[in-house]
Amino acid sequence: MSHLPWQKSSFSNAEGGSTCLELATGAGDARHLRESDDPDVVITTSTAKLRAFVLGAKAGEFDHLL
């Protein structure tokens, strides 16, 4: 998946850039996520599932896990 155009978060570490969440769009509805410090580990999901996760995280639905 290294051939995909990975986009880094705007909140990435500006001093080294090695602690970033990256996102890439795949074929069809596939969305790929990885951490820049471990680029061989990729999570693949759909747009709807990624959107639900992000909205849930913003709403604090996972705060009890911290």
Side-chain angles (χ1 to χ4, degrees):
M1 294 199 183
S2 61
H3 65 283
L4 293 172
W6 291 94
Q7 179 181 4
K8 287 187 179 184
S9 168
S10 60
F11 293 100
S12 296
N13 178 356
E15 294 181 13
S18 63
T19 56
C20 306
L21 179 64
E22 298 178 325
L23 176 68
T25 301
D29 191 39
R31 302 296 178 257
H32 307 289
L33 295 144
R34 71 180 185 183
E35 288 190 52
S36 57
D37 62 343
D38 196 2
D40 293 331
V41 178
V42 177
I43 296 172
T44 301
T45 189
S46 69
T47 301
K49 289 179 181 179
L50 179 58
R51 182 179 292 118
F53 175 77
V54 169
L55 290 174
K58 286 182 175 182
E61 291 182 24
F62 309 109
D63 289 356
H64 68 281
L65 300 173
L66 301 176

XYZ file of all heavy atoms in Angstrom:
492
model
N 0.795 -1.195 0.000
C 0.000 0.000 0.000
C 0.841 1.265 0.000
O 0.317 2.354 0.107
C -0.950 -0.005 1.187
C -1.982 -1.089 1.100
S -3.365 -0.712 2.173
C -4.301 -2.179 1.900
N 2.126 1.094 -0.121
C 3.005 2.264 -0.132
C 2.773 3.134 -1.368
O 3.168 4.289 -1.388
C 4.456 1.833 -0.053
O 4.789 1.040 -1.173
N 2.131 2.575 -2.392
C 1.872 3.326 -3.619
C 0.708 4.317 -3.476
O 0.528 5.182 -4.327
C 1.572 2.359 -4.764
C 0.300 1.588 -4.554
N 0.212 0.525 -3.691
C -0.930 1.757 -5.074
C -1.025 0.055 -3.699
N -1.742 0.788 -4.523
N -0.052 4.207 -2.401
C -1.185 5.099 -2.201
C -0.716 6.498 -1.797
O 0.289 6.637 -1.113
C -2.100 4.549 -1.096
C -2.833 3.256 -1.416
C -3.539 2.734 -0.170
C -3.821 3.459 -2.544
N -1.460 7.519 -2.186
C -1.111 8.880 -1.750
C -1.606 9.119 -0.315
O -2.771 9.424 -0.093
C -1.841 9.773 -2.753
C -3.001 8.949 -3.225
C -2.541 7.510 -3.166
N -0.728 8.955 0.646
C -1.074 9.089 2.060
C -1.116 10.560 2.446
O -0.244 11.336 2.088
C -0.067 8.346 2.927
C -0.189 6.863 2.760
C 0.534 6.085 1.902
C -1.091 5.991 3.430
N 0.135 4.784 2.011
C -0.866 4.693 2.944
C -2.069 6.170 4.401
C -1.574 3.585 3.397
C -2.776 5.071 4.846
C -2.528 3.804 4.349
N -2.135 10.941 3.205
C -2.295 12.312 3.677
C -2.090 12.322 5.190
O -2.726 11.565 5.918
C -3.691 12.821 3.344
C -3.951 14.214 3.804
C -5.361 14.666 3.460
O -6.178 13.913 2.948
N -5.647 15.919 3.741
N -1.196 13.191 5.654
C -0.931 13.295 7.089
C -1.907 14.259 7.744
O -2.352 15.226 7.138
C 0.492 13.791 7.349
C 1.543 12.769 7.061
C 2.902 13.256 7.504
C 3.942 12.194 7.219
N 5.255 12.579 7.712
N -2.163 14.014 8.989
C -3.003 14.898 9.782
C -2.365 16.276 9.898
O -1.143 16.398 9.997
C -3.194 14.303 11.182
O -3.764 15.250 12.045
N -3.190 17.290 9.928
C -2.674 18.649 10.114
C -2.152 18.849 11.536
O -1.495 19.829 11.829
C -3.760 19.679 9.814
O -4.853 19.494 10.687
N -2.423 17.914 12.437
C -1.948 17.984 13.814
C -0.666 17.184 14.006
O -0.269 16.888 15.119
C -3.023 17.473 14.776
C -4.228 18.358 14.824
C -5.366 18.031 14.117
C -4.216 19.530 15.554
C -6.487 18.844 14.143
C -5.330 20.362 15.593
C -6.469 20.013 14.891
N 0.003 16.816 12.922
C 1.224 16.023 12.991
C 2.336 16.760 13.725
O 2.381 17.985 13.736
C 1.724 15.683 11.582
O 0.800 14.866 10.925
N 3.232 16.003 14.276
C 4.399 16.544 14.959
C 5.263 17.270 13.939
O 5.888 16.659 13.095
C 5.168 15.409 15.627
C 6.423 15.864 16.324
O 6.798 17.024 16.273
N 7.084 14.929 16.971
N 5.326 18.566 14.029
C 6.053 19.378 13.047
C 7.563 19.205 13.145
O 8.282 19.456 12.192
C 5.695 20.850 13.225
N 8.069 18.757 14.273
C 9.513 18.661 14.454
C 10.114 17.384 13.884
O 11.297 17.330 13.635
C 9.853 18.795 15.937
C 9.525 20.170 16.463
C 9.878 20.326 17.930
O 10.597 19.465 18.463
O 9.428 21.301 18.518
N 9.338 16.358 13.725
C 9.896 15.126 13.200
C 8.955 14.423 12.246
O 9.358 13.702 11.361
N 7.692 14.655 12.454
C 6.705 14.072 11.573
C 6.588 12.563 11.662
O 5.999 11.928 10.805
N 7.141 11.960 12.704
C 7.111 10.502 12.777
C 5.993 9.979 13.668
O 5.879 8.776 13.868
C 8.457 9.982 13.289
O 8.677 10.452 14.606
N 5.170 10.853 14.209
C 4.067 10.417 15.062
C 2.760 10.940 14.487
O 2.045 11.697 15.124
C 4.247 10.920 16.503
O 4.373 12.346 16.465
C 5.467 10.329 17.148
N 2.462 10.523 13.273
C 1.318 11.065 12.556
C 0.329 9.970 12.182
O 0.714 8.847 11.876
C 1.770 11.722 11.259
S 3.035 12.952 11.474
N -0.930 10.341 12.167
C -1.961 9.496 11.609
C -2.057 9.865 10.134
O -2.102 11.049 9.789
C -3.296 9.740 12.307
C -4.475 8.932 11.792
C -4.234 7.438 12.033
C -5.750 9.387 12.449
N -2.072 8.848 9.276
C -2.160 9.090 7.840
C -3.386 8.384 7.282
O -3.767 7.317 7.757
C -0.913 8.576 7.135
C 0.353 9.275 7.576
C 1.605 8.733 6.920
O 1.677 7.515 6.662
O 2.516 9.527 6.677
N -3.995 8.964 6.279
C -5.198 8.445 5.652
C -4.999 8.386 4.144
O -4.409 9.292 3.563
C -6.388 9.362 5.981
C -7.731 9.047 5.351
C -8.286 7.743 5.924
C -8.705 10.184 5.602
N -5.493 7.320 3.525
C -5.442 7.199 2.062
C -6.771 6.631 1.572
O -7.411 5.820 2.244
C -4.303 6.292 1.627
N -7.170 7.055 0.393
C -8.368 6.535 -0.242
C -7.974 5.398 -1.166
O -7.065 5.545 -1.983
C -9.069 7.642 -1.053
O -9.398 8.703 -0.162
C -10.319 7.136 -1.721
N -8.658 4.276 -1.018
C -8.376 3.118 -1.861
C -9.450 2.943 -2.914
O -10.274 3.828 -3.152
N -9.471 1.776 -3.517
C -10.446 1.468 -4.550
C -11.856 1.438 -3.965
O -12.066 0.994 -2.833
C -10.122 0.122 -5.190
N -12.805 1.937 -4.719
C -14.186 1.936 -4.262
C -14.360 2.809 -3.035
O -13.966 3.965 -3.023
N -14.902 2.222 -1.992
C -15.193 2.959 -0.758
C -14.155 2.693 0.332
O -14.366 3.028 1.483
C -16.589 2.553 -0.263
C -17.101 3.435 0.849
O -16.870 4.658 0.786
O -17.714 2.901 1.783
N -13.033 2.110 -0.016
C -12.018 1.753 0.974
C -11.278 2.988 1.480
O -10.884 3.858 0.707
C -11.019 0.766 0.386
N -11.104 3.058 2.798
C -10.321 4.097 3.443
C -9.277 3.402 4.290
O -9.586 2.491 5.051
C -11.196 5.011 4.324
C -12.316 5.697 3.566
C -11.771 6.657 2.502
N -12.837 7.266 1.744
C -13.183 6.900 0.512
N -12.557 5.914 -0.082
N -14.142 7.516 -0.124
N -8.024 3.805 4.139
C -6.919 3.155 4.821
C -6.309 4.122 5.834
O -6.110 5.296 5.527
C -5.847 2.725 3.820
C -6.381 1.906 2.695
N -6.821 0.621 2.863
C -6.558 2.206 1.391
C -7.239 0.150 1.697
N -7.093 1.103 0.791
N -5.991 3.607 7.021
C -5.371 4.399 8.086
C -4.096 3.710 8.531
O -4.029 2.475 8.581
C -6.309 4.495 9.297
C -7.599 5.232 9.057
C -8.718 4.576 9.833
C -7.423 6.659 9.485
N -3.089 4.509 8.861
C -1.844 3.961 9.401
C -1.159 5.027 10.250
O -1.469 6.211 10.155
C -0.911 3.501 8.292
C -0.298 4.633 7.487
C 0.620 4.120 6.409
N 1.287 5.233 5.716
C 2.099 5.090 4.699
N 2.354 3.888 4.233
N 2.664 6.134 4.137
N -0.226 4.586 11.061
C 0.628 5.504 11.809
C 1.931 5.614 11.032
O 2.483 4.609 10.576
C 0.906 4.981 13.211
C -0.285 5.050 14.129
C 0.099 4.743 15.549
O 1.044 5.363 16.064
O -0.550 3.883 16.130
N 2.449 6.823 10.910
C 3.650 7.014 10.099
C 4.871 6.318 10.679
O 5.786 5.977 9.940
C 3.932 8.506 9.903
O 4.055 9.152 11.148
N 4.889 6.060 11.990
C 6.045 5.378 12.579
C 5.975 3.858 12.404
O 6.923 3.156 12.723
C 6.220 5.749 14.044
C 5.055 5.344 14.917
O 3.973 5.066 14.371
O 5.228 5.320 16.151
N 4.861 3.325 11.875
C 4.720 1.892 11.598
C 3.885 1.726 10.327
O 2.757 1.222 10.363
C 4.054 1.194 12.781
C 4.208 -0.311 12.742
O 4.871 -0.831 11.810
O 3.673 -0.976 13.636
N 4.401 2.149 9.170
C 3.607 2.219 7.938
C 3.182 0.875 7.352
O 2.329 0.844 6.468
C 4.522 2.971 6.970
C 5.894 2.704 7.467
C 5.770 2.621 8.961
N 3.742 -0.230 7.844
C 3.340 -1.532 7.317
C 2.042 -2.042 7.933
O 1.449 -2.990 7.418
C 4.455 -2.557 7.549
C 5.689 -2.246 6.724
O 5.540 -1.656 5.630
O 6.799 -2.590 7.169
N 1.597 -1.440 9.022
C 0.338 -1.818 9.668
C -0.740 -0.859 9.194
O -0.686 0.330 9.482
C 0.463 -1.782 11.209
C -0.870 -2.137 11.849
C 1.561 -2.718 11.675
N -1.703 -1.389 8.441
C -2.749 -0.563 7.836
C -4.118 -1.100 8.251
O -4.355 -2.301 8.203
C -2.626 -0.567 6.294
C -3.752 0.232 5.651
C -1.270 -0.021 5.870
N -5.002 -0.204 8.655
C -6.390 -0.551 8.947
C -7.220 -0.085 7.764
O -7.103 1.062 7.328
C -6.869 0.150 10.232
C -6.069 -0.352 11.422
C -8.365 -0.064 10.434
C -6.336 0.409 12.699
N -8.071 -0.956 7.257
C -8.936 -0.615 6.131
C -10.386 -0.648 6.589
O -10.807 -1.592 7.265
C -8.727 -1.598 4.961
O -7.361 -1.537 4.558
C -9.607 -1.241 3.779
N -11.133 0.371 6.212
C -12.536 0.476 6.589
C -13.295 1.172 5.467
O -12.742 1.418 4.401
C -12.669 1.235 7.938
O -14.017 1.140 8.393
C -12.234 2.671 7.827
N -14.550 1.482 5.710
C -15.357 2.200 4.719
C -15.531 3.651 5.155
O -15.272 4.007 6.308
C -16.736 1.545 4.589
O -17.482 1.753 5.783
N -16.010 4.475 4.251
C -16.246 5.880 4.563
C -17.253 6.017 5.700
O -17.042 6.787 6.639
C -16.751 6.631 3.322
O -15.782 6.510 2.292
C -17.009 8.095 3.603
N -18.356 5.280 5.637
C -19.397 5.386 6.658
C -18.885 4.964 8.030
O -19.170 5.616 9.040
C -20.613 4.547 6.270
N -18.119 3.888 8.096
C -17.595 3.425 9.381
C -16.548 4.384 9.936
O -16.509 4.643 11.139
C -17.016 2.018 9.244
C -18.101 0.984 9.037
C -17.508 -0.394 8.881
C -18.605 -1.416 8.644
N -18.077 -2.769 8.468
N -15.714 4.935 9.078
C -14.723 5.904 9.531
C -15.414 7.166 10.044
O -15.053 7.709 11.089
C -13.744 6.251 8.404
C -12.662 7.266 8.744
C -11.817 6.803 9.922
C -11.792 7.532 7.525
N -16.424 7.624 9.325
C -17.177 8.801 9.750
C -17.831 8.562 11.113
O -17.769 9.413 12.009
C -18.247 9.162 8.728
C -19.043 10.408 9.102
C -20.098 10.781 8.058
N -19.451 11.232 6.840
C -19.576 10.626 5.651
N -20.318 9.549 5.518
N -18.960 11.094 4.590
N -18.438 7.394 11.309
C -19.080 7.071 12.585
C -18.054 7.043 13.711
O -18.317 7.539 14.814
C -19.802 5.728 12.481
N -16.876 6.495 13.443
C -15.831 6.460 14.459
C -15.367 7.864 14.842
O -15.256 8.196 16.024
C -14.641 5.621 13.979
C -13.489 5.664 14.939
C -13.512 4.922 16.099
C -12.395 6.477 14.688
C -12.457 4.973 17.001
C -11.332 6.539 15.579
C -11.368 5.787 16.733
N -15.096 8.700 13.845
C -14.617 10.061 14.113
C -15.673 10.857 14.877
O -15.359 11.544 15.856
C -14.217 10.774 12.803
C -13.969 12.251 13.031
C -12.986 10.111 12.197
N -16.921 10.755 14.460
C -17.986 11.475 15.168
C -18.127 10.971 16.600
O -18.331 11.757 17.533
C -19.309 11.342 14.414
C -19.385 12.087 13.082
C -20.688 11.747 12.358
C -19.249 13.580 13.282
N -18.001 9.657 16.800
C -18.063 9.095 18.142
C -16.906 9.559 19.007
O -17.081 9.889 20.181
N -15.708 9.623 18.427
C -14.540 10.092 19.183
C -14.708 11.558 19.565
O -14.413 11.949 20.700
C -13.271 9.895 18.347
N -15.194 12.367 18.644
C -15.415 13.783 18.943
C -16.477 13.974 20.013
O -16.411 14.920 20.796
C -15.828 14.537 17.675
C -14.712 14.774 16.707
C -15.209 15.571 15.504
C -14.090 15.933 14.575
N -14.581 16.752 13.432
N -17.452 13.076 20.066
C -18.541 13.181 21.046
C -18.155 12.580 22.400
O -18.944 12.622 23.338
C -19.790 12.490 20.501
N -16.970 11.989 22.504
C -16.521 11.436 23.771
C -16.986 10.027 24.072
O -16.886 9.553 25.193
N -17.502 9.326 23.053
C -18.027 7.978 23.264
C -16.978 6.972 23.716
O -17.325 5.928 24.267
C -18.691 7.472 21.980
C -19.962 8.204 21.627
C -20.622 7.656 20.377
O -20.400 6.473 20.027
O -21.353 8.427 19.727
N -15.713 7.261 23.511
C -14.655 6.305 23.856
C -13.796 6.778 25.033
O -12.804 6.149 25.369
C -13.761 6.046 22.633
C -14.552 5.674 21.404
C -14.651 6.561 20.343
C -15.219 4.470 21.317
C -15.380 6.239 19.206
C -15.957 4.135 20.197
C -16.043 5.027 19.137
N -14.179 7.885 25.648
C -13.383 8.448 26.737
C -13.222 7.481 27.901
O -12.210 7.518 28.592
C -14.002 9.757 27.239
C -13.854 10.902 26.247
O -13.208 10.708 25.193
O -14.401 11.992 26.523
N -14.183 6.616 28.112
C -14.092 5.659 29.224
C -12.986 4.620 29.014
O -12.599 3.930 29.937
C -15.438 4.958 29.420
C -15.809 4.057 28.295
N -16.327 4.530 27.096
C -15.728 2.711 28.171
C -16.551 3.499 26.291
N -16.196 2.392 26.911
N -12.472 4.532 27.816
C -11.402 3.564 27.522
C -10.023 4.089 27.879
O -9.046 3.336 27.895
C -11.432 3.188 26.037
C -12.723 2.545 25.547
C -12.678 2.374 24.034
C -12.941 1.207 26.236
N -9.916 5.366 28.156
C -8.617 5.982 28.456
C -8.267 5.872 29.921
O -8.994 5.939 30.793
C -8.610 7.447 28.033
C -8.876 7.672 26.539
C -8.950 9.152 26.250
C -7.779 7.031 25.707
